[in-house]
Amino acid sequence: MSLISTRLNRIKPSATMAVTGRAQELKAAGVDVIGLGSGEPDFDTPENIKEAAIVAMRAGQTKYTQVPGTLELREAICAKFKRENGLNYSPTQIQVACGGKQSIYNAIMASVGEGDEVIIPAPYWVSYPDIVILAEGTPIIIQTKHENGFKINAEQLEAAITPKTKWLMLNSPSNPTGAAYAKEELKALMNVLLRHEHVFLMTDDIYEHVVYDGFEFTTPVQVEPKMYDRTLTLNGVSKAYAMTGWRIGYSAGPEELIKGMNKVQSQSTSHAASISQAAAVEALNGPQGFIEKNNSVFKERRDLVVSMLNQSEGIECLTPQGAFYVYPSCAGLIGKKTPEGKILENDFDVATYLLESQGVAVVFGEAFGLSPFFRISYATATDVLVEACERIQRACINLK
Ligand SMILES: Cc1ncc(COP(=O)(O)O)c(C=O)c1O
């Protein structure tokens, strides 16, 4: 009899974390590797936020907090939703978790069971389907198209809904494509959900602040207030505030669901770290100016990477409106032969070839549910990105 449960055997370890780990291993072994796999800003956490953590530690805020998070942080989150999204929540409708990932995990564990279907547009963030499977639910994947900017439309959503549908999981701006839904596009999707009262919406807004070219972010409940009682709005400080290691995510939604999520959290991590919670209060309440500054750096890098990738033979890359990823098609490389004589059969082969021949670590598209593509995170120093793109161009030229 195996020690490992059958439940665990149904899921995969996170592919993005695996690629980052492999790149770190190769680097440690002395190989010249450029890691473009990791989804975290290379900027440091702003000083005022670090300072708030130090002050909290000195003031003895080093003990257990309430399960859903300190009242101070939940109030700061309510103020954020009011200020930035025009949404009213009370602290009992808020849960703070150890990162956005745990927010999603808590929500799915609290609400999904055997037989429940969860609609997930592909390409998706790698953890969505596996978390649903862990909860014994069934992911229902809607495939998007490169030519539609990797977004689903109302007809596709309508066709995917069944009496068993529990959730639609939406992520805009998206990891891995950077695609962001405009207000009218969200409205069309919300109109479908209004017709199906048993379907709940989980909107993952973690890249809310990372948008370009004047794109106006809107969260679905802003667009359709009638979805307020059926929506869980997820967010966190990891991406906008360069705080990935602090592990703070949060969500807002119906009290009944938040209570269920608190029950799950009370039997797992209890709550997010007290010191990180104090830092998150400062992140949300403090000066926000650096977000704009970081975004202008990200935008320059995005433009550089898109342009250099489009100059690579066999690669085609859209210009995304948000997040810090591009998701180029490598359809033009499939079927080509490497200098070692290997035929590239799929995007996993392409990613392996880029790593082995040029030391560039990217994540293959299959991990995100849409092939043949790969994901590059451009949250890396500009000179490193130039070098990486030059290597990718060389790798393409070397194919026959
Ligand atoms: C779409 C999306 N949601 C949620 C998360 C979770 O973020 P964290 O758990 O680091 O706060 C990530 C991180 O990569 C993400 O890309």
Side-chain angles (χ1 to χ4, degrees):
M1 197 173 71
S2 167
L3 171 65
I4 302 306
S5 73
T6 50
R7 189 187 323 106
L8 201 69
N9 286 334
R10 286 200 289 265
I11 65 163
K12 313 171 286 302
S14 160
T16 46
M17 293 211 149
V19 168
T20 306
R22 180 77 188 122
Q24 278 166 355
E25 257 171 40
L26 286 170
K27 255 188 209 164
V31 182
D32 172 21
V33 169
I34 302 179
L36 302 179
S38 171
E40 65 180 346
D42 55 321
F43 307 120
D44 198 6
T45 306
E47 275 309 310
N48 61 309
I49 298 176
K50 290 190 198 170
E51 198 52 42
I54 294 165
V55 169
M57 264 189 278
R58 297 223 162 100
Q61 289 180 35
T62 53
K63 308 281 197 238
Y64 290 132
T65 73
Q66 291 177 52
V67 168
T70 61
L71 185 60
E72 196 189 3
L73 177 53
R74 284 180 291 137
E75 281 173 344
I77 292 166
C78 291
K80 174 261 177 271
F81 278 120
K82 181 79 192 147
R83 182 176 69 239
E84 296 182 345
N85 312 107
L87 299 178
N88 289 306
Y89 288 106
S90 65
T92 52
Q93 291 175 284
I94 306 288
Q95 185 195 61
V96 177
C98 307
K101 190 180 272 184
Q102 200 199 2
S103 298
I104 298 165
Y105 188 88
N106 288 344
I108 294 292
M109 283 298 152
S111 60
V112 171
E114 207 181 329
D116 291 332
E117 296 179 350
V118 178
I119 299 175
I120 305 173
Y124 41 71
W125 184 45
V126 287
S127 296
Y128 291 169
D130 283 319
I131 293 176
V132 170
I133 292 168
L134 261 186
E136 323 236 307
T138 307
I140 303 293
I141 307 298
I142 304 181
Q143 296 286 332
T144 64
K145 293 202 171 103
H146 194 221
E147 55 270 32
N148 297 341
F150 300 112
K151 292 184 238 183
I152 59 164
N153 59 34
E155 294 72 43
Q156 285 178 298
L157 176 58
E158 184 73 57
I161 293 174
T162 75
K164 293 182 180 165
T165 308
K166 196 79 178 247
W167 289 100
L168 163 66
M169 292 177 86
L170 212 54
N171 172 218
S172 167
S174 146
N175 177 3
T177 64
Y181 285 82
K183 217 172 176 171
E184 319 76 66
E185 292 169 325
L186 284 177
K187 179 78 183 131
L189 297 180
M190 293 310 105
N191 285 344
V192 175
L193 294 186
L194 287 180
R195 288 198 291 276
H196 299 276
E197 286 186 3
H198 66 292
V199 182
F200 285 74
L201 170 67
M202 195 178 297
T203 171
D204 181 345
D205 297 355
I206 202 146
Y207 295 99
E208 167 177 11
H209 291 298
V210 191
V211 289
Y212 313 111
D213 309 326
F215 179 84
E216 226 180 279
F217 173 87
T218 28
T219 192
V221 181
Q222 256 177 307
V223 175
E224 183 44 85
K226 288 192 201 120
M227 283 300 295
Y228 181 87
D229 291 326
R230 282 199 273 146
T231 300
L232 186 72
T233 303
L234 292 160
N235 213 314
V237 295
S238 297
K239 312 290 175 172
Y241 300 93
M243 290 177 71
T244 45
W246 298 77
R247 310 308 303 132
I248 295 286
Y250 57 85
S251 40
E255 226 173 280
E256 184 194 5
L257 176 64
I258 296 292
K259 268 193 192 148
M261 291 168 63
N262 289 340
K263 202 165 166 185
V264 174
Q265 183 153 285
S266 75
Q267 296 296 10
S268 55
T269 54
S270 295
H271 59 75
S274 58
I275 299 151
S276 296
Q277 291 191 55
V281 170
E282 173 63 17
L284 295 176
N285 288 347
Q288 307 287 307
F290 63 91
I291 293 180
E292 198 74 8
K293 266 196 230 143
N294 290 358
N295 280 358
S296 62
V297 177
F298 279 146
K299 181 190 152 16
E300 269 174 35
R301 293 173 179 174
R302 177 200 66 171
D303 292 343
L304 174 97
V305 168
V306 168
S307 152
M308 288 188 79
L309 287 173
N310 280 326
Q311 288 165 42
S312 313
E313 217 178 304
I315 292 180
E316 209 187 324
C317 186
L318 294 177
T319 302
Q321 284 174 302
F324 34 69
Y325 309 100
V326 288
Y327 199 64
S329 161
C330 55
L333 302 181
I334 305 298
K336 289 197 174 179
K337 203 190 266 180
T338 70
E340 289 71 40
K342 176 167 176 25
I343 305 274
L344 301 178
E345 311 263 1
N346 48 42
D347 51 29
F348 178 81
D349 286 353
V350 171
T352 306
Y353 169 62
L354 292 178
L355 183 61
E356 286 176 358
S357 71
Q358 299 290 336
V360 179
V362 301
V363 187
F364 54 99
E366 200 216 308
F368 306 99
L370 194 73
S371 293
F373 295 88
F374 59 92
R375 188 194 78 174
I376 283 181
S377 162
Y378 55 84
T380 295
T382 309
D383 54 334
V384 175
L385 287 170
V386 171
E387 170 68 22
C389 290
E390 282 172 358
R391 292 189 194 187
I392 292 173
Q393 290 177 347
R394 260 201 307 276
C396 292
I397 289 170
N398 290 343
L399 292 170
K400 293 262 158 41

